[in-house]
Amino acid sequence: MKWNNSIKMVISIIGMTICLLSGCVKENHMDDREPEQEQTDNREDAGLEELEAWRVEEQQNTKEKSDAETPENDSQTDMLKSEEEVPDYLTCMSGTIVEQALTPEEASKLFYAQEIPEEVFARMNGVSYVENDDIALEDLRYLRLLYAGFDEQTHVGELVVHESIAESILEIFQILYENGYQIEKMRLIDDYDGDDHASILDNNTSAFNYRVVEGSKTLSRHAYGLAIDINPFYNPYVTYPDGVEHISPEGSEPYADREADFPHKIGKDGDLCWQLFSERGFTWGGDWRSLKDYQHFQISE
């Protein structure tokens, strides 16, 4: 009897030990479950709103993880850097290169006219514009345009003209731009301290400048904003004082020979610039008899 009781006691102790060990294993197994599995168990009992919230959170976490694990390549970095450095072509300096390709719609928005802004008048005041009885500031318009440069890149340009020809000038230069007609520079004469000779020598295309005709007391059509000089170094101003030919600016003498073939020459032989201005009623200085102003187009009264 005593032996049987001892055996029963041992068996009982072994059984209790097994139960205790089984409970620990089960508890440890429950503790070791992945959080994701626990969330799945909980979601089985969750409502639609809670499930949707979990789904959105999971998507966001996945995206953040993907972004963190995917390094930006050089092209992405360059693209972001380029976007940050793109200038405002509505306000940037004349001559600025337009780096990115423009759609026709985007390009058209960069051809516009407005009344003279304060910051532009600050440049003009006392230089190209002075108080006078001939032309009021309100009669002038500031134009922003695009042009194809000698470097075959697109540039931002600016002009000041009389309001009566502003739309015609915009139309002409937009067509020239679209056809790749090259212009070297298009800055206000004020950037040259109003010095017409300095502007021409730099082959700068410009329009308004309150000044007289060279060698006279008569106001130029430029003084009314009704004339424009285009690529003037390659289309010089030729006079004949005392019967002697004088070509301006200096250095442009080879381009006074209009029989010669060279780039940027304005003329009647299929030249788009001459054609567009002529169609809109402008007079070309190359047709004048007493002198030749091959760079010059104007509207006559």
Side-chain angles (χ1 to χ4, degrees):
M1 275 310 270
K2 290 181 180 180
W3 176 252
N4 288 338
N5 289 336
S6 297
I7 291 173
K8 289 180 180 180
M9 185 177 295
V10 170
I11 292 173
S12 177
I13 292 171
I14 292 172
M16 290 177 64
T17 303
I18 291 172
C19 287
L20 289 171
L21 289 173
S22 298
C24 290
V25 170
K26 184 176 181 180
E27 184 177 349
N28 289 338
H29 178 70
M30 291 295 292
D31 291 342
D32 290 342
R33 288 189 310 170
E34 292 291 334
E36 191 170 308
Q37 183 180 345
E38 290 182 5
Q39 289 179 359
T40 301
D41 294 342
N42 292 335
R43 290 175 195 180
E44 293 178 356
D45 299 326
L48 289 177
E49 291 184 2
E50 289 177 312
L51 287 173
E52 178 62 17
W54 270 319
R55 183 186 67 80
V56 171
E57 183 180 358
E58 201 167 73
Q59 287 179 337
Q60 182 63 28
N61 291 338
T62 301
K63 181 179 182 302
E64 290 176 357
K65 183 178 180 181
S66 175
D67 291 345
E69 292 177 352
T70 305
E72 292 184 340
N73 57 39
D74 292 339
S75 62
Q76 290 175 320
T77 303
D78 291 344
M79 182 175 66
L80 291 172
K81 182 178 179 182
S82 176
E83 288 176 354
E84 292 174 358
E85 295 177 352
V86 170
D88 181 355
Y89 297 123
L90 298 175
T91 59
C92 64
M93 291 180 59
S94 176
T96 297
I97 295 174
V98 179
E99 299 285 356
Q100 71 268 35
L102 299 174
T103 65
E105 293 76 16
E106 290 171 334
S108 292
K109 291 178 181 179
L110 297 176
F111 286 84
Y112 66 91
Q114 62 182 134
E115 294 185 1
I116 307 298
E118 290 184 7
E119 63 273 16
V120 174
F121 179 64
R123 295 164 60 192
M124 298 171 57
N125 191 21
V127 186
S128 67
Y129 186 85
V130 295
E131 290 297 328
N132 66 89
D133 298 325
D134 304 297
I135 180 75
L137 189 67
E138 292 75 17
D139 295 331
L140 299 174
R141 293 294 180 269
Y142 176 67
L143 275 53
R144 297 281 289 193
L145 319 92
L146 298 177
Y147 64 92
F150 282 11
D151 57 5
E152 299 184 352
Q153 298 193 76
T154 296
H155 296 255
V156 176
E158 59 181 352
L159 293 168
V160 170
V161 301
H162 194 278
E163 59 88 18
S164 64
I165 67 169
E167 290 304 317
S168 292
I169 295 296
L170 288 175
E171 289 176 5
I172 290 170
F173 278 94
Q174 184 162 358
I175 296 172
L176 291 176
Y177 164 71
E178 291 170 349
N179 283 272
Y181 192 97
Q182 293 183 338
I183 294 170
E184 186 168 15
K185 296 178 181 179
M186 194 186 298
R187 303 165 58 184
L188 299 189
I189 197 76
D190 307 273
D191 290 350
Y192 299 87
D193 294 326
D195 188 336
D196 182 63
H197 183 76
S199 175
I200 289 174
L201 191 61
D202 199 34
N203 199 37
N204 179 55
T205 295
S206 67
F208 174 76
N209 190 13
Y210 190 77
R211 64 175 178 83
V212 297
V213 175
E214 184 180 351
S216 76
K217 295 182 180 180
T218 304
L219 280 177
S220 166
R221 300 301 287 171
H222 287 282
Y224 299 95
L226 295 171
I228 184 168
D229 293 336
I230 299 173
N231 286 336
F233 190 84
Y234 294 88
N235 299 279
Y237 179 60
V238 184
T239 57
Y240 305 91
D242 300 323
V244 179
E245 184 181 66
H246 176 73
I247 301 170
S248 178
E250 60 272 18
S252 66
E253 291 82 6
Y255 307 113
D257 180 5
R258 307 312 279 186
E259 298 299 322
D261 187 20
F262 53 85
H264 320 305
K265 181 175 72 172
I266 296 173
K268 296 183 177 180
D269 298 331
D271 176 55
L272 181 60
C273 184
W274 176 86
Q275 176 187 332
L276 294 174
F277 276 97
S278 298
E279 288 173 352
R280 288 161 177 76
F282 284 79
T283 299
W284 179 45
D287 283 333
W288 296 344
R289 293 183 179 180
S290 60
L291 59 85
K292 299 294 184 182
D293 200 353
Y294 296 111
Q295 64 200 251
H296 182 95
F297 290 96
Q298 70 175 43
I299 285 289
S300 302
E301 292 179 340

